[in-house]
């Protein structure tokens, strides 16, 4: 386990999350893609903290902020999904295509 | 743990995290996809414990377990195929998405290999949790308070966005319940009351609906 292997693992997770975000139609599945990408970001931050910081705790605080981003994204994302479903009975990106016009 | 044991554990967790992350978007069951994502998070949490960031790893275990259970409930509520009894493919631009995903992973991987990150060993391997606690309750206290206020604002925002009634009356004024049968325009249930009380079961009819629209 070195910093390179940890960063490679996090790059794979971020790539998988990007693929999911871009390929899925359902709002909930898109949010799962975002969560997977943030998962990779947190792993990369923890790895960089472990191998290059000498134990400086502020590096771990950065990971906690990434967790905050994930929690906010999930809560507001689900609220938006509910709001869109109330207004349009749609839960896929194709269903609200008129927003792009 | 010795170096070899740590290496074996790391690769096991890393491969599992990536495999479960891939399964999230390839399984037919939406609930199973949620728990695949949970498994990916738990493996990353285990890697964080291996990285001696025990607090973060355990926080991942607890936080993601709860969050993914909530997500599973949303999956059952919104998805047409929560049990995975039928094959399902709800994707768009699949080739471009795969290309961008591989490009992102390879690009970041190249950066990880090429970048010259100066190594610095942990000064106190046994005291990382104590150091983090002192940091959170000391120098980074302001940041943690901002985190708390942000979460409160998120809770208020989520309730406001998802609430059925707004300040000036029902928030779903003008909306119509979904068709019970996506191919039958006459299957739309009647809206019994203006605040949606009477058609509480109408939402279930929408599960099969999003295959049919254009």
């Amino acid at each position: 386990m070195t910093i390179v292997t940890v960063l490679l693992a996090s790059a794979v997770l971020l790539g998988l999350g990007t693929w999911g975000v871009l390929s899925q139609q359902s709002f909930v599945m898109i949010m799962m893609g975002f969560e997977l990408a943030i998962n990779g970001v947190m792993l990369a931050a923890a790895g960089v903290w472990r191998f290059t910081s000498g134990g400086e705790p502020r590096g771990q605080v950065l990971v906690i902020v990434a967790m905050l981003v994930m929690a906010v994204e999930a809560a507001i994302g689900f609220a938006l999904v509910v709001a869109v479903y109330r207004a349009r009975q749609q839960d896929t990106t194709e269903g609200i295509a008129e927003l792009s016009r | 743990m010795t170096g070899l044991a740590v290496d074996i554990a790391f690769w096991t967790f890393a491969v599992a995290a990536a495999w479960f992350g891939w399964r999230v978007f390839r399984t037919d069951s939406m609930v199973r996809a949620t728990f695949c994502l949970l498994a990916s998070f738990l493996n990353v949490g285990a890697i964080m414990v291996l990285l001696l960031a025990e607090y973060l790893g355990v926080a991942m275990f607890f936080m993601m377990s709860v969050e993914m259970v909530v997500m599973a409930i949303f999956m059952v509520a919104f998805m047409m195929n929560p049990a995975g009894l039928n094959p399902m493919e709800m994707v768009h631009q699949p080739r471009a998405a795969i290309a961008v995903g591989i490009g992102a992973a390879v690009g970041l991987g190249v950066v990880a290999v090429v970048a010259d990150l100066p190594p610095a060993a942990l000064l106190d391997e046994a005291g990382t949790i104590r150091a983090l606690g002192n940091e959170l309750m000391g120098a980074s206290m302001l940041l943690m308070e901002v985190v708390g206020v942000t979460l409160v604002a998120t809770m208020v925002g989520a309730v406001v966005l998802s609430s059925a009634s707004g300040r000036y009356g029902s928030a779903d004024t003008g909306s119509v319940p979904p068709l019970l049968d996506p191919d039958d325009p006459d299957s739309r249930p009647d809206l019994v009351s203006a605040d949606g009380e009477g058609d509480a079961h109408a939402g279930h009819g929408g599960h099969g609906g999003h295959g049919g629209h254009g």
Side-chain angles (χ1 to χ4, degrees), chain A residues 23-60:
Chain A
S23 67
Q24 295 294 314
Q25 292 181 323
S26 162
F27 294 137
V28 191
M29 291 300 288
I30 291 171
M31 285 172 52
M32 292 176 80
F34 279 123
E35 302 240 331
L36 197 57
I38 299 175
N39 193 20
V41 171
M42 289 196 297
L43 179 59
V48 171
W49 166 80
R50 167 69 176 80
F51 291 108
T52 69
S53 74
E56 168 61 55
R58 272 179 294 179
Q60 292 196 53

Side-chain angles (χ1 to χ4, degrees), chain A residues 1 16 19 22-25 28 32 35 39 42 50-51 54 58 60 70 72 74 86 89 91 93-94, chain B residues 7 18 41 51 60 64 67-68 75 78 90-93 98 120-121 123 135 154 162 175-176 210:
Chain A
M1 184 172 67
L16 283 167
W19 164 59
L22 292 178
S23 67
Q24 295 294 314
Q25 292 181 323
V28 191
M32 292 176 80
E35 302 240 331
N39 193 20
M42 289 196 297
R50 167 69 176 80
F51 291 108
R58 272 179 294 179
Q60 292 196 53
M70 183 182 276
V72 171
R86 275 192 205 286
Q89 284 77 47
D91 65 351
T93 51
E94 270 71 4
Chain B
D7 278 347
F41 278 123
L51 289 168
M60 284 278 279
M64 292 309 147
E67 188 173 330
M68 288 306 124
M75 282 298 180
F78 276 102
M90 281 180 62
V91 296
H92 50 197
Q93 55 191 13
I98 290 172
L123 298 177
E135 176 74 21
T154 302
S162 57
S175 67
V176 290
H210 44 66

Side-chain angles (χ1 to χ4, degrees), chain A residues 29 32, chain B residues 24 27-38 68-69 71-77 79 81-84 88:
Chain A
M29 291 300 288
M32 292 176 80
Chain B
V24 167
T27 182
D28 288 330
S29 160
M30 293 297 96
V31 173
R32 223 174 288 152
T34 310
F35 287 111
C36 282
L37 187 60
L38 172 60
M68 288 306 124
V69 170
M71 205 172 233
I73 294 170
F74 270 84
M75 282 298 180
V76 175
M79 299 304 295
N81 191 20
M88 192 189 68

Side-chain angles (χ1 to χ4, degrees), chain B residues 35-55:
Chain B
F35 287 111
C36 282
L37 187 60
L38 172 60
S40 183
F41 278 123
L42 294 183
N43 280 289
V44 168
I47 294 175
M48 285 182 176
V49 173
L50 287 180
L51 289 168
L52 302 178
E54 290 97 343
Y55 177 87

